[in-house]
Amino acid sequence: KNCVKKESTAFQLYLMIRRGTSTPKKPAVTMDSEQEMTTIVQDTLIDEDTSQCDDNSSTNSGRAVLLTNPPPEDDLAPAPSSDDISESKNNQDGEGKKDENLTIEERYENGRNAAKLKHWHDSPYAVGFTEPTWEDELSRRGKNDEESSRGCCADDIDPTCGCMYVSGIVCSRLGAGRIGNMAVLKERSVLVEEEVEEDDVENGDGQTSKKTVRRVYKNQLEIVVGPFWPFMLFITYPLIFGVSGLTAVKAIPGKHPILIAVWAGCTFGLIYALFSVGCRDPGIMTRHRRPLHTSWRWNDQAQTYRPRGASYDQDCACVIEEFDHTCPWTGTAIGKKNMCAFKSFLVLVFLLLIWDIILLTE
């Protein structure tokens, strides 16, 4: 019993030494290695009472061998602090530096990127990863004066770089919204009915899917321009007004009233057709987390399912339904909702161009 009692006392001493605490009789002992610690424990076992333990020497040696294999470090270590937990989490996330070591610019950039990513995920439209607002676009493109002086296209040749810089200046002052690279000038909320497929419900025949119709308010885009709207505004429209004005001044006077009325109607129709193409929604799709049909395919750029015919337009940075192409003369993409207006625009352009040439050369 004395041997067992003294071995228990030695094991408690061993635990106190491992935890860095002190005994009430002796000051705390600091170990430089596990071998020194084992030696002291063995000496304690021998020096306590050698005479009473001679009969059980084999048992004592066995106990000493067990003490040379201590419990795992995790069982003896103190509970991790909150700083250790946060540091471990930062290491798992791949962050090399702590928050307190980051500069103000780095913290601002991290917060800005987090807000940008959140805005992209929360957007109801099938858009790409762009700046949330036009103010952010202008800030990104104008943060370096040297880059701005070189035309804001220092790194890569981007066909929309000049137009996007102008959009950042103008749209930020007008307070226009943004969907991808499209500028929203006017929108309104409308009440629509949509079918919602709920989870499977169990009835007498088994499990079936249940569809319900609900009324919700959705934003309807009334005036939206594409990324090349400066090209349309400063090149396409001036060409139309220039040629039509020259014809109206030099060739139209003195003609038959019916001919003048038809020519004026075609000219105004051309102007309105261009407006209907360049300032209307070309068919921007909303984001679909689940396919509505088996033929739908996943799109990585916009993180959405899309039907056949719909494609992601890199210039507009959004998925356009029945996408055909992006026309810089009209400033936007050509899709399902502005295809008819685009065809009317092409017909009137060629008709009036030939007609004006004939009138001016008579």
Side-chain angles (χ1 to χ4, degrees):
K1 291 182 180 179
N2 291 332
C3 290
V4 174
K5 181 177 181 180
K6 295 185 185 316
E7 289 172 7
S8 176
T9 303
F11 185 72
Q12 291 179 0
L13 175 63
Y14 166 76
L15 293 180
M16 292 179 182
I17 293 172
R18 290 286 291 175
R19 291 172 178 168
T21 60
S22 60
T23 63
K25 295 181 180 180
K26 298 181 181 180
V29 180
T30 305
M31 297 296 134
D32 294 334
S33 66
E34 188 173 347
Q35 183 177 3
E36 295 179 5
M37 175 184 59
T38 306
T39 304
I40 290 179
V41 174
Q42 291 175 348
D43 293 340
T44 304
L45 289 172
I46 296 172
D47 294 339
E48 289 283 347
D49 194 352
T50 308
S51 61
Q52 295 181 10
C53 299
D54 290 339
D55 297 336
N56 300 322
S57 59
S58 60
T59 306
N60 294 340
S61 61
R63 288 280 188 175
V65 171
L66 290 175
L67 289 176
T68 58
N69 297 316
E73 186 70 22
D74 295 338
D75 296 339
L76 299 176
S81 61
S82 59
D83 295 337
D84 296 335
I85 295 175
S86 61
E87 182 179 357
S88 176
K89 185 177 180 180
N90 290 336
N91 292 334
Q92 291 177 358
D93 294 338
E95 297 179 0
K97 295 185 295 183
K98 294 182 179 179
D99 292 341
E100 56 268 17
N101 295 331
L102 296 177
T103 62
I104 296 178
E105 290 78 7
E106 290 174 338
R107 292 182 182 181
Y108 171 77
E109 192 65 25
N110 290 341
R112 187 168 173 268
N113 291 333
K116 179 179 176 181
L117 184 62
K118 184 178 184 302
H119 178 271
W120 180 49
H121 283 296
D122 296 343
S123 176
Y125 296 99
V127 297
F129 190 57
T130 60
E131 297 292 338
T133 62
W134 292 111
E135 290 82 359
D136 295 331
E137 182 72 29
L138 184 61
S139 175
R140 181 179 71 86
R141 293 182 179 269
K143 64 182 178 179
N144 192 331
D145 294 335
E146 182 181 358
E147 183 180 352
S148 299
S149 62
R150 288 181 294 178
C152 74
C153 301
D155 298 332
D156 299 322
I157 298 177
D158 183 5
T160 64
C161 62
C163 293
M164 293 299 296
Y165 189 74
V166 175
S167 297
I169 296 175
V170 176
C171 295
S172 60
R173 286 164 174 76
L174 294 177
R178 179 169 187 173
I179 300 177
N181 290 337
M182 312 278 286
V184 181
L185 301 178
K186 185 180 179 182
E187 62 180 347
R188 64 188 181 94
S189 297
V190 295
L191 185 61
V192 297
E193 293 183 354
E194 63 177 10
E195 289 187 354
V196 179
E197 185 174 353
E198 298 180 349
D199 296 335
D200 293 346
V201 294
E202 186 174 356
N203 50 28
D205 298 335
Q207 291 185 348
T208 58
S209 60
K210 180 181 178 181
K211 291 185 178 180
T212 59
V213 178
R214 64 178 182 180
R215 292 184 177 183
V216 295
Y217 282 96
K218 287 190 175 182
N219 292 333
Q220 181 178 350
L221 305 176
E222 292 190 349
I223 300 179
V224 54
V225 295
F228 299 106
W229 67 266
F231 194 96
M232 175 190 67
L233 184 61
F234 298 111
I235 295 180
T236 308
Y237 267 121
L239 285 176
I240 295 175
F241 287 127
V243 175
S244 299
L246 182 63
T247 304
V249 171
K250 293 192 177 267
I252 291 298
K255 299 297 182 180
H256 195 277
I258 297 178
L259 187 144
I260 296 175
V262 173
W263 178 87
C266 291
T267 303
F268 284 111
L270 175 63
I271 296 172
Y272 181 77
L274 179 58
F275 176 83
S276 299
V277 176
C279 301
R280 298 297 186 187
D281 178 16
I284 302 173
M285 289 193 60
T286 56
R287 183 167 287 167
H288 294 274
R289 303 295 183 181
R290 294 183 299 177
L292 301 181
H293 194 269
T294 56
S295 62
W296 284 38
R297 296 293 181 266
W298 177 256
N299 182 266
D300 285 331
Q301 294 99 328
Q303 296 292 297
T304 182
Y305 282 95
R306 59 173 180 83
R308 291 185 179 274
S311 299
Y312 178 80
D313 182 18
Q314 294 183 354
D315 295 326
C316 296
C318 54
V319 177
I320 306 296
E321 193 172 0
E322 297 183 10
F323 175 73
D324 189 79
H325 69 287
T326 301
C327 178
W329 293 94
T330 60
T332 188
I334 308 301
K336 178 180 179 179
K337 295 184 178 180
N338 63 353
M339 178 60 74
C340 293
F342 179 71
K343 292 179 179 179
S344 301
F345 170 73
L346 292 179
V347 172
L348 291 174
V349 161
F350 286 106
L351 177 62
L352 283 175
L353 180 61
I354 296 174
W355 197 354
D356 289 342
I357 292 174
I358 294 174
L359 292 175
L360 290 172
T361 56
E362 285 182 350

PDB file of all heavy atoms in Angstrom, residues 13 16 32 58 67 73 85-86 90-91 116 130 142 148 170 193 204 226 232 237 271 273 284 300 319 323 325 339:
ATOM      1  N   LEU A  13       2.873  14.481  -9.044  1.00  0.00           N
ATOM      2  CA  LEU A  13       3.979  15.412  -9.270  1.00  0.00           C
ATOM      3  C   LEU A  13       4.318  15.511 -10.752  1.00  0.00           C
ATOM      4  O   LEU A  13       4.592  16.593 -11.284  1.00  0.00           O
ATOM      5  CB  LEU A  13       5.204  14.955  -8.461  1.00  0.00           C
ATOM      6  CG  LEU A  13       6.502  15.772  -8.683  1.00  0.00           C
ATOM      7  CD1 LEU A  13       6.277  17.210  -8.232  1.00  0.00           C
ATOM      8  CD2 LEU A  13       7.660  15.148  -7.914  1.00  0.00           C
ATOM      9  N   MET A  16       1.741  17.687 -12.420  1.00  0.00           N
ATOM     10  CA  MET A  16       1.960  19.102 -12.106  1.00  0.00           C
ATOM     11  C   MET A  16       3.119  19.681 -12.895  1.00  0.00           C
ATOM     12  O   MET A  16       3.092  20.825 -13.354  1.00  0.00           O
ATOM     13  CB  MET A  16       2.212  19.258 -10.601  1.00  0.00           C
ATOM     14  CG  MET A  16       0.990  18.951  -9.731  1.00  0.00           C
ATOM     15  SD  MET A  16       1.351  19.134  -7.988  1.00  0.00           S
ATOM     16  CE  MET A  16      -0.243  18.651  -7.307  1.00  0.00           C
ATOM     17  N   ASP A  32      13.433  20.904 -19.404  1.00  0.00           N
ATOM     18  CA  ASP A  32      13.920  21.220 -20.741  1.00  0.00           C
ATOM     19  C   ASP A  32      13.673  20.098 -21.705  1.00  0.00           C
ATOM     20  O   ASP A  32      13.687  20.285 -22.908  1.00  0.00           O
ATOM     21  CB  ASP A  32      15.427  21.517 -20.699  1.00  0.00           C
ATOM     22  CG  ASP A  32      15.713  22.782 -19.920  1.00  0.00           C
ATOM     23  OD1 ASP A  32      14.798  23.639 -19.868  1.00  0.00           O
ATOM     24  OD2 ASP A  32      16.822  22.903 -19.376  1.00  0.00           O
ATOM     25  N   SER A  58       9.992  -5.254  -8.687  1.00  0.00           N
ATOM     26  CA  SER A  58       9.587  -5.475 -10.074  1.00  0.00           C
ATOM     27  C   SER A  58       8.366  -4.651 -10.428  1.00  0.00           C
ATOM     28  O   SER A  58       8.239  -4.129 -11.530  1.00  0.00           O
ATOM     29  CB  SER A  58       9.313  -6.968 -10.314  1.00  0.00           C
ATOM     30  OG  SER A  58       8.264  -7.398  -9.451  1.00  0.00           O
ATOM     31  N   LEU A  67       5.469   5.372 -16.798  1.00  0.00           N
ATOM     32  CA  LEU A  67       5.568   6.825 -16.715  1.00  0.00           C
ATOM     33  C   LEU A  67       6.425   7.402 -17.830  1.00  0.00           C
ATOM     34  O   LEU A  67       6.339   8.576 -18.125  1.00  0.00           O
ATOM     35  CB  LEU A  67       6.150   7.242 -15.360  1.00  0.00           C
ATOM     36  CG  LEU A  67       5.215   7.042 -14.175  1.00  0.00           C
ATOM     37  CD1 LEU A  67       5.938   7.386 -12.877  1.00  0.00           C
ATOM     38  CD2 LEU A  67       3.977   7.911 -14.313  1.00  0.00           C
ATOM     39  N   GLU A  73      -0.326  14.656 -25.292  1.00  0.00           N
ATOM     40  CA  GLU A  73      -0.173  16.064 -24.955  1.00  0.00           C
ATOM     41  C   GLU A  73      -1.507  16.787 -24.945  1.00  0.00           C
ATOM     42  O   GLU A  73      -1.717  17.715 -24.168  1.00  0.00           O
ATOM     43  CB  GLU A  73       0.773  16.728 -25.965  1.00  0.00           C
ATOM     44  CG  GLU A  73       1.126  18.176 -25.644  1.00  0.00           C
ATOM     45  CD  GLU A  73       2.023  18.295 -24.424  1.00  0.00           C
ATOM     46  OE1 GLU A  73       2.696  17.302 -24.084  1.00  0.00           O
ATOM     47  OE2 GLU A  73       2.017  19.373 -23.808  1.00  0.00           O
ATOM     48  N   ILE A  85      -8.044  29.949 -31.313  1.00  0.00           N
ATOM     49  CA  ILE A  85      -9.106  29.486 -32.207  1.00  0.00           C
ATOM     50  C   ILE A  85      -9.208  30.378 -33.433  1.00  0.00           C
ATOM     51  O   ILE A  85      -9.319  29.913 -34.565  1.00  0.00           O
ATOM     52  CB  ILE A  85     -10.442  29.440 -31.448  1.00  0.00           C
ATOM     53  CG1 ILE A  85     -10.374  28.395 -30.333  1.00  0.00           C
ATOM     54  CG2 ILE A  85     -11.591  29.127 -32.396  1.00  0.00           C
ATOM     55  CD1 ILE A  85     -11.605  28.362 -29.469  1.00  0.00           C
ATOM     56  N   SER A  86      -9.159  31.692 -33.220  1.00  0.00           N
ATOM     57  CA  SER A  86      -9.250  32.609 -34.363  1.00  0.00           C
ATOM     58  C   SER A  86      -8.042  32.484 -35.271  1.00  0.00           C
ATOM     59  O   SER A  86      -8.159  32.549 -36.489  1.00  0.00           O
ATOM     60  CB  SER A  86      -9.377  34.049 -33.852  1.00  0.00           C
ATOM     61  OG  SER A  86      -8.226  34.405 -33.092  1.00  0.00           O
ATOM     62  N   ASN A  90      -8.062  31.460 -39.198  1.00  0.00           N
ATOM     63  CA  ASN A  90      -7.430  32.267 -40.247  1.00  0.00           C
ATOM     64  C   ASN A  90      -6.452  31.443 -41.071  1.00  0.00           C
ATOM     65  O   ASN A  90      -6.339  31.620 -42.285  1.00  0.00           O
ATOM     66  CB  ASN A  90      -6.701  33.459 -39.621  1.00  0.00           C
ATOM     67  CG  ASN A  90      -7.656  34.481 -39.046  1.00  0.00           C
ATOM     68  OD1 ASN A  90      -8.807  34.544 -39.470  1.00  0.00           O
ATOM     69  ND2 ASN A  90      -7.200  35.262 -38.077  1.00  0.00           N
ATOM     70  N   ASN A  91      -5.745  30.532 -40.418  1.00  0.00           N
ATOM     71  CA  ASN A  91      -4.820  29.678 -41.163  1.00  0.00           C
ATOM     72  C   ASN A  91      -5.566  28.740 -42.084  1.00  0.00           C
ATOM     73  O   ASN A  91      -5.113  28.463 -43.196  1.00  0.00           O
ATOM     74  CB  ASN A  91      -3.958  28.879 -40.187  1.00  0.00           C
ATOM     75  CG  ASN A  91      -2.996  29.774 -39.412  1.00  0.00           C
ATOM     76  OD1 ASN A  91      -2.628  30.849 -39.901  1.00  0.00           O
ATOM     77  ND2 ASN A  91      -2.596  29.361 -38.217  1.00  0.00           N
ATOM     78  N   LYS A 116     -18.538  43.116 -53.030  1.00  0.00           N
ATOM     79  CA  LYS A 116     -18.712  42.844 -54.461  1.00  0.00           C
ATOM     80  C   LYS A 116     -19.174  41.403 -54.687  1.00  0.00           C
ATOM     81  O   LYS A 116     -20.084  41.150 -55.496  1.00  0.00           O
ATOM     82  CB  LYS A 116     -17.393  43.105 -55.179  1.00  0.00           C
ATOM     83  CG  LYS A 116     -17.411  42.853 -56.673  1.00  0.00           C
ATOM     84  CD  LYS A 116     -16.039  43.171 -57.273  1.00  0.00           C
ATOM     85  CE  LYS A 116     -16.000  42.834 -58.754  1.00  0.00           C
ATOM     86  NZ  LYS A 116     -14.659  43.128 -59.328  1.00  0.00           N
ATOM     87  N   THR A 130     -19.125  41.664 -61.774  1.00  0.00           N
ATOM     88  CA  THR A 130     -18.759  43.033 -62.094  1.00  0.00           C
ATOM     89  C   THR A 130     -18.829  43.890 -60.834  1.00  0.00           C
ATOM     90  O   THR A 130     -19.225  43.424 -59.768  1.00  0.00           O
ATOM     91  CB  THR A 130     -19.690  43.621 -63.164  1.00  0.00           C
ATOM     92  OG1 THR A 130     -21.048  43.604 -62.677  1.00  0.00           O
ATOM     93  CG2 THR A 130     -19.620  42.806 -64.452  1.00  0.00           C
ATOM     94  N   GLY A 142     -10.249  54.599 -62.243  1.00  0.00           N
ATOM     95  CA  GLY A 142      -9.555  55.861 -62.063  1.00  0.00           C
ATOM     96  C   GLY A 142      -8.703  55.933 -60.828  1.00  0.00           C
ATOM     97  O   GLY A 142      -8.275  57.017 -60.427  1.00  0.00           O
ATOM     98  N   SER A 148      -5.148  56.075 -65.938  1.00  0.00           N
ATOM     99  CA  SER A 148      -6.178  56.892 -66.558  1.00  0.00           C
ATOM    100  C   SER A 148      -5.617  57.703 -67.703  1.00  0.00           C
ATOM    101  O   SER A 148      -6.261  57.894 -68.727  1.00  0.00           O
ATOM    102  CB  SER A 148      -6.805  57.820 -65.506  1.00  0.00           C
ATOM    103  OG  SER A 148      -7.396  57.056 -64.481  1.00  0.00           O
ATOM    104  N   VAL A 170     -20.761  59.257 -66.394  1.00  0.00           N
ATOM    105  CA  VAL A 170     -22.107  59.787 -66.643  1.00  0.00           C
ATOM    106  C   VAL A 170     -23.136  59.116 -65.739  1.00  0.00           C
ATOM    107  O   VAL A 170     -23.944  59.787 -65.074  1.00  0.00           O
ATOM    108  CB  VAL A 170     -22.478  59.608 -68.119  1.00  0.00           C
ATOM    109  CG1 VAL A 170     -23.902  60.065 -68.381  1.00  0.00           C
ATOM    110  CG2 VAL A 170     -21.501  60.377 -69.002  1.00  0.00           C
ATOM    111  N   GLU A 193     -47.814  37.112 -61.873  1.00  0.00           N
ATOM    112  CA  GLU A 193     -48.121  35.789 -61.336  1.00  0.00           C
ATOM    113  C   GLU A 193     -47.072  34.797 -61.814  1.00  0.00           C
ATOM    114  O   GLU A 193     -46.724  34.774 -62.992  1.00  0.00           O
ATOM    115  CB  GLU A 193     -49.509  35.332 -61.773  1.00  0.00           C
ATOM    116  CG  GLU A 193     -50.658  36.143 -61.200  1.00  0.00           C
ATOM    117  CD  GLU A 193     -52.004  35.597 -61.619  1.00  0.00           C
ATOM    118  OE1 GLU A 193     -52.003  34.649 -62.452  1.00  0.00           O
ATOM    119  OE2 GLU A 193     -53.039  36.085 -61.129  1.00  0.00           O
ATOM    120  N   GLY A 204     -52.402   9.980 -50.684  1.00  0.00           N
ATOM    121  CA  GLY A 204     -52.758   8.566 -50.667  1.00  0.00           C
ATOM    122  C   GLY A 204     -52.070   7.749 -51.741  1.00  0.00           C
ATOM    123  O   GLY A 204     -51.776   6.578 -51.561  1.00  0.00           O
ATOM    124  N   GLY A 226     -26.955  49.584 -73.356  1.00  0.00           N
ATOM    125  CA  GLY A 226     -25.848  48.645 -73.337  1.00  0.00           C
ATOM    126  C   GLY A 226     -24.518  49.318 -73.094  1.00  0.00           C
ATOM    127  O   GLY A 226     -24.420  50.536 -72.928  1.00  0.00           O
ATOM    128  N   MET A 232     -23.482  54.669 -79.930  1.00  0.00           N
ATOM    129  CA  MET A 232     -24.799  54.928 -80.514  1.00  0.00           C
ATOM    130  C   MET A 232     -25.158  56.411 -80.423  1.00  0.00           C
ATOM    131  O   MET A 232     -25.671  56.996 -81.383  1.00  0.00           O
ATOM    132  CB  MET A 232     -25.863  54.095 -79.787  1.00  0.00           C
ATOM    133  CG  MET A 232     -27.293  54.377 -80.231  1.00  0.00           C
ATOM    134  SD  MET A 232     -28.545  53.599 -79.167  1.00  0.00           S
ATOM    135  CE  MET A 232     -28.313  54.518 -77.642  1.00  0.00           C
ATOM    136  N   TYR A 237     -26.501  58.101 -84.103  1.00  0.00           N
ATOM    137  CA  TYR A 237     -27.531  59.143 -84.169  1.00  0.00           C
ATOM    138  C   TYR A 237     -27.052  60.378 -84.945  1.00  0.00           C
ATOM    139  O   TYR A 237     -27.805  60.917 -85.773  1.00  0.00           O
ATOM    140  CB  TYR A 237     -27.995  59.534 -82.770  1.00  0.00           C
ATOM    141  CG  TYR A 237     -29.207  58.767 -82.308  1.00  0.00           C
ATOM    142  CD1 TYR A 237     -29.184  57.992 -81.158  1.00  0.00           C
ATOM    143  CD2 TYR A 237     -30.398  58.821 -83.032  1.00  0.00           C
ATOM    144  CE1 TYR A 237     -30.305  57.291 -80.737  1.00  0.00           C
ATOM    145  CE2 TYR A 237     -31.519  58.118 -82.609  1.00  0.00           C
ATOM    146  CZ  TYR A 237     -31.466  57.360 -81.468  1.00  0.00           C
ATOM    147  OH  TYR A 237     -32.580  56.659 -81.071  1.00  0.00           O
ATOM    148  N   ILE A 271     -35.518  56.562 -86.433  1.00  0.00           N
ATOM    149  CA  ILE A 271     -35.046  57.085 -85.136  1.00  0.00           C
ATOM    150  C   ILE A 271     -35.665  56.300 -83.980  1.00  0.00           C
ATOM    151  O   ILE A 271     -34.986  55.947 -82.999  1.00  0.00           O
ATOM    152  CB  ILE A 271     -35.373  58.589 -85.026  1.00  0.00           C
ATOM    153  CG1 ILE A 271     -34.599  59.366 -86.097  1.00  0.00           C
ATOM    154  CG2 ILE A 271     -35.057  59.121 -83.644  1.00  0.00           C
ATOM    155  CD1 ILE A 271     -34.996  60.825 -86.202  1.00  0.00           C
ATOM    156  N   ALA A 273     -36.909  53.230 -84.133  1.00  0.00           N
ATOM    157  CA  ALA A 273     -36.425  51.843 -84.151  1.00  0.00           C
ATOM    158  C   ALA A 273     -35.062  51.734 -83.475  1.00  0.00           C
ATOM    159  O   ALA A 273     -34.804  50.781 -82.724  1.00  0.00           O
ATOM    160  CB  ALA A 273     -36.352  51.334 -85.585  1.00  0.00           C
ATOM    161  N   ILE A 284     -32.661  40.300 -70.854  1.00  0.00           N
ATOM    162  CA  ILE A 284     -31.831  39.914 -69.711  1.00  0.00           C
ATOM    163  C   ILE A 284     -32.587  38.900 -68.866  1.00  0.00           C
ATOM    164  O   ILE A 284     -33.714  39.142 -68.431  1.00  0.00           O
ATOM    165  CB  ILE A 284     -31.460  41.147 -68.875  1.00  0.00           C
ATOM    166  CG1 ILE A 284     -30.720  42.167 -69.748  1.00  0.00           C
ATOM    167  CG2 ILE A 284     -30.608  40.754 -67.687  1.00  0.00           C
ATOM    168  CD1 ILE A 284     -30.455  43.477 -69.043  1.00  0.00           C
ATOM    169  N   ASP A 300     -21.439  29.050 -65.928  1.00  0.00           N
ATOM    170  CA  ASP A 300     -20.550  29.365 -64.816  1.00  0.00           C
ATOM    171  C   ASP A 300     -20.386  30.870 -64.609  1.00  0.00           C
ATOM    172  O   ASP A 300     -20.303  31.328 -63.469  1.00  0.00           O
ATOM    173  CB  ASP A 300     -19.167  28.744 -65.037  1.00  0.00           C
ATOM    174  CG  ASP A 300     -19.168  27.243 -64.792  1.00  0.00           C
ATOM    175  OD1 ASP A 300     -19.987  26.794 -63.972  1.00  0.00           O
ATOM    176  OD2 ASP A 300     -18.369  26.536 -65.413  1.00  0.00           O
ATOM    177  N   VAL A 319     -26.625  37.182 -69.105  1.00  0.00           N
ATOM    178  CA  VAL A 319     -27.191  36.161 -69.984  1.00  0.00           C
ATOM    179  C   VAL A 319     -28.380  36.769 -70.724  1.00  0.00           C
ATOM    180  O   VAL A 319     -29.314  37.284 -70.104  1.00  0.00           O
ATOM    181  CB  VAL A 319     -27.619  34.927 -69.181  1.00  0.00           C
ATOM    182  CG1 VAL A 319     -28.273  33.898 -70.091  1.00  0.00           C
ATOM    183  CG2 VAL A 319     -26.418  34.316 -68.478  1.00  0.00           C
ATOM    184  N   PHE A 323     -29.895  35.047 -77.582  1.00  0.00           N
ATOM    185  CA  PHE A 323     -28.835  35.996 -77.935  1.00  0.00           C
ATOM    186  C   PHE A 323     -28.366  35.782 -79.364  1.00  0.00           C
ATOM    187  O   PHE A 323     -28.123  34.661 -79.798  1.00  0.00           O
ATOM    188  CB  PHE A 323     -27.669  35.827 -76.959  1.00  0.00           C
ATOM    189  CG  PHE A 323     -26.469  36.661 -77.294  1.00  0.00           C
ATOM    190  CD1 PHE A 323     -26.478  38.031 -77.083  1.00  0.00           C
ATOM    191  CD2 PHE A 323     -25.329  36.075 -77.809  1.00  0.00           C
ATOM    192  CE1 PHE A 323     -25.369  38.802 -77.371  1.00  0.00           C
ATOM    193  CE2 PHE A 323     -24.213  36.830 -78.102  1.00  0.00           C
ATOM    194  CZ  PHE A 323     -24.235  38.197 -77.885  1.00  0.00           C
ATOM    195  N   HIS A 325     -26.163  38.649 -81.249  1.00  0.00           N
ATOM    196  CA  HIS A 325     -24.841  39.261 -81.289  1.00  0.00           C
ATOM    197  C   HIS A 325     -24.897  40.588 -80.535  1.00  0.00           C
ATOM    198  O   HIS A 325     -25.964  41.027 -80.114  1.00  0.00           O
ATOM    199  CB  HIS A 325     -24.369  39.491 -82.734  1.00  0.00           C
ATOM    200  CG  HIS A 325     -25.140  40.556 -83.457  1.00  0.00           C
ATOM    201  ND1 HIS A 325     -26.435  40.376 -83.899  1.00  0.00           N
ATOM    202  CD2 HIS A 325     -24.801  41.847 -83.786  1.00  0.00           C
ATOM    203  CE1 HIS A 325     -26.863  41.481 -84.494  1.00  0.00           C
ATOM    204  NE2 HIS A 325     -25.905  42.395 -84.427  1.00  0.00           N
ATOM    205  N   MET A 339     -35.227  41.969 -81.019  1.00  0.00           N
ATOM    206  CA  MET A 339     -34.897  41.469 -82.351  1.00  0.00           C
ATOM    207  C   MET A 339     -35.794  42.079 -83.422  1.00  0.00           C
ATOM    208  O   MET A 339     -35.317  42.452 -84.510  1.00  0.00           O
ATOM    209  CB  MET A 339     -34.993  39.943 -82.372  1.00  0.00           C
ATOM    210  CG  MET A 339     -34.720  39.327 -83.737  1.00  0.00           C
ATOM    211  SD  MET A 339     -33.068  39.695 -84.372  1.00  0.00           S
ATOM    212  CE  MET A 339     -32.090  38.614 -83.340  1.00  0.00           C
TER     213      MET A 339
END
